[in-house]
Amino acid sequence: MGPTGLLGLLFFLLLPWSQVYASRGILRSVVIKDPPTAKDYCITYNSTWTTLPSTYTNATFYRLLNLSSVSLCSRSEVPSLGFENMAVLVMDGNCNILDKALLAQENNASMLLIASKDGLPAPKGNKSDHLTIQIAYVKYGDVINMGQVLGKDIDVTLYSPTFAQFDISLLVIFLISVFTVALGGYWSGLSEMEDLRPSPSEDESDRRKKKDENVTFTPLTVILFVVICCVMLLLLYFFYKWLVYVIICVFCLASAMSLFNCLSALIRNIPYGRCRMSCFNKSAEVRLLFLAAFCAAVSVTWAVFRNEDRWIWILQDILGIAFCLNFIKTLRMPNFKACVILLGLLLLYDVFFVFITPFITKNGQSIMVEVAAGPSERSEKSDESYVEVPAESQATYEKLPVVIRVPRFQYSAATLCDIPMSLLGFGDIIVPGLLVAYCKRFDVRTASSSIYYISCTIAYAVGMVLTFVILMVMKTGQPALLYLVPCTLLTSSFIAWRRREMKKFWNGGSYEIMEQTENAVNEEHITGEAQEVQ
Ligand SMILES: *[C@@H]1O[C@H](CO)[C@@H](O)[C@H](O)[C@H]1NC(C)=O
Ligand SMILES: *[C@@H]1O[C@H](CO)[C@@H](O)[C@H](O)[C@H]1NC(C)=O
Ligand SMILES: *[C@@H]1O[C@H](CO)[C@@H](O)[C@H](O)[C@H]1NC(C)=O
Ligand SMILES: *[C@@H]1O[C@H](CO)[C@@H](O)[C@H](O)[C@H]1NC(C)=O
Ligand SMILES: *[C@@H]1O[C@H](CO)[C@@H](O)[C@H](O)[C@H]1NC(C)=O
């Protein structure tokens, strides 16, 4: 395997769709004085406990009582005047939030705001029915800010804007994934065409180099590949904190190389500016050197600003697309048999780690979702013990960069909370992409006017739409491969069956013949698989 293949393999992880459906709302705080001032802050609340209005127009405002120096765990902490019709703000920690709420409600408070220094947790617990007070978390930093901006005599209310099920981000993800799969397949077909018609001017070393660029899977390597994926996922589950940095480094390297490969393939077609520079017996086109510097700069920029949620997703998606394109073009499936094994095994892998592992793990979370959502899930876990108060806000958790992510646009326009992201794992693009690329190369070899390629790409798009529909109905993350794999495999088999080319399609058509002659020329090994097939 070439270096690119190895790098890719290292962090070829399959993450499912996952979306954040936490209940977030807004705390609107106003001061009625001249001039009236208002400011909004992000809160989290539990929608099964409280229903919030969707706007603040008709909402009741309560006077804010700033008790942020106490945590309201004992009666001695209640001021003698009580909380008649007030919104009480207390610190998190020392006791369960429901004990605080009970104490606040007994003293006639209307709302309990809990200032958290540890991000915004989700309020949960065994709430009894007679506890009707509104309960919400607010960030401690926001409490300080509120005091600075609004001063004293603040009135507050809670509301939660409603959002449509469908968000533009889904459309963006759809376009990105179908574009990447289609272009990756097309590119793979182009390089196949070049291989089939070696131009006479090319010398032996050039051809050898070209062959090294691409890596062909055999059924055995496919199985090995899936085993490595499983091991990687388990390692990540247990050693997330450290391995996430390894993955980030590998992503930086691999995506910079991929971006370079993609862009240099484009640039080579531009006939201008081919001046060369030579150094130590090696010569390179100056523009390619510039391109390499540019790609390195892009990837370093991503690494530096990777936690800037508001805009970094654009860079991450560009690098991700380049990575997927390069992967689809470089790794070649030799025949449909290998495709079926790869897609089938990865489908099982996805389903196993999403749906079966919740029955095995201690906390009932699926390993896949834990790794994919890693950070937020983990911070909630530490919340179960209410013994210690976190001293200061913890650093934001690192997220795995192996997903295409797009912010949910309706949220970003309307809230101050962290924007929920729609995510699609690279695997959901690459795995079907390898099949599409095989279809395209089969088209090229059998000169069948792209029928396999086009129908397989359409099947992929249909599978994505199916994933969205099921996602919106079930409202939880979905392993997209569950829908993409059957769609693409069945469609391409159907086409092969209708065109009576199943045998050829299954065995890879003229591929082995070409492979063997080339191997004979290059004196390289002939894989046992290729012989067996014939
Ligand atoms: C607010 O109340 C007024 C009068 O009761 C009503 O006409 C209006 O529709 C309400 N607005 C909202 C957003 O509920
Ligand atoms: C709470 O309100 C009720 C009814 O208005 C009142 O009887 C009770 O004394 C109040 N409790 C406190 C602690 O103010
Ligand atoms: C709301 O509270 C219930 C328990 O009362 C809990 O099961 C549920 O997960 C909570 N919801 C959220 C969004 O945290
Ligand atoms: C929740 O509280 C009720 C009574 O308040 C109790 O019967 C029930 O067992 C509790 N559930 C859990 C999961 O603690
Ligand atoms: C609440 O009190 C803390 C200090 O106890 C202060 O820093 C903060 O600004 C106050 N916030 C509001 C909203 O009054």
Side-chain angles (χ1 to χ4, degrees), residues 250-264:
V250 173
F251 179 73
C252 263
L253 271 176
S255 65
M257 282 165 60
S258 305
L259 193 63
F260 178 79
N261 283 347
C262 293
L263 292 181
S264 64

Side-chain angles (χ1 to χ4, degrees), residues 89-132:
L89 191 150
V90 300
M91 270 319 281
D92 193 15
N94 287 347
C95 55
N96 192 309
I97 57 165
L98 292 173
D99 298 339
K100 299 172 199 261
L102 197 63
L103 207 52
Q105 180 166 322
E106 277 172 7
N107 288 282
N108 294 348
S110 305
M111 183 195 300
L112 177 71
L113 294 173
I114 300 152
S116 163
K117 285 182 173 171
D118 186 21
L120 279 178
K124 54 185 168 191
N126 189 5
K127 187 181 88 84
S128 62
D129 285 337
H130 72 269
L131 200 61
T132 52

Side-chain angles (χ1 to χ4, degrees), residues 54-55 57-58:
S54 60
T55 78
T57 16
N58 287 353

Side-chain angles (χ1 to χ4, degrees), residues 323-463:
F323 176 79
C324 291
L325 278 178
N326 193 47
F327 204 104
I328 293 173
K329 183 241 163 186
T330 311
L331 284 193
R332 299 181 159 194
M333 304 310 286
N335 48 38
F336 191 56
K337 182 168 81 177
C339 290
V340 170
I341 296 175
L342 179 76
L343 272 66
L345 281 181
L346 286 177
L347 170 70
L348 288 181
Y349 161 94
D350 227 9
V351 168
F352 175 77
F353 281 105
V354 173
F355 293 125
I356 316 280
T357 51
F359 298 108
I360 303 170
T361 55
K362 275 195 206 118
N363 59 353
Q365 277 280 4
S366 85
I367 288 185
M368 188 76 90
V369 172
E370 283 263 302
V371 171
S376 61
E377 300 293 321
R378 262 138 220 265
S379 71
E380 271 171 29
K381 247 192 285 174
S382 64
D383 259 5
E384 307 229 302
S385 62
Y386 290 94
V387 194
E388 51 188 339
V389 193
E392 66 222 332
S393 67
Q394 288 173 1
T396 43
Y397 285 85
E398 295 290 346
K399 289 201 163 57
L400 281 181
V402 290
V403 287
I404 296 286
R405 45 179 195 157
V406 179
R408 310 201 74 202
F409 291 110
Q410 334 176 40
Y411 282 82
S412 50
T415 80
L416 315 129
C417 303
D418 305 335
I419 311 159
M421 296 271 174
S422 297
L423 307 175
L424 183 68
F426 285 174
D428 300 329
I429 296 176
I430 291 173
V431 174
L434 290 175
L435 174 61
V436 170
Y438 171 67
C439 285
K440 179 69 191 171
R441 277 181 286 116
F442 188 77
D443 279 332
V444 168
R445 271 181 254 138
T446 56
S448 55
S449 68
S450 293
I451 170 94
Y452 286 95
Y453 168 63
I454 291 174
S455 44
C456 203
T457 308
I458 293 175
Y460 178 77
V462 170

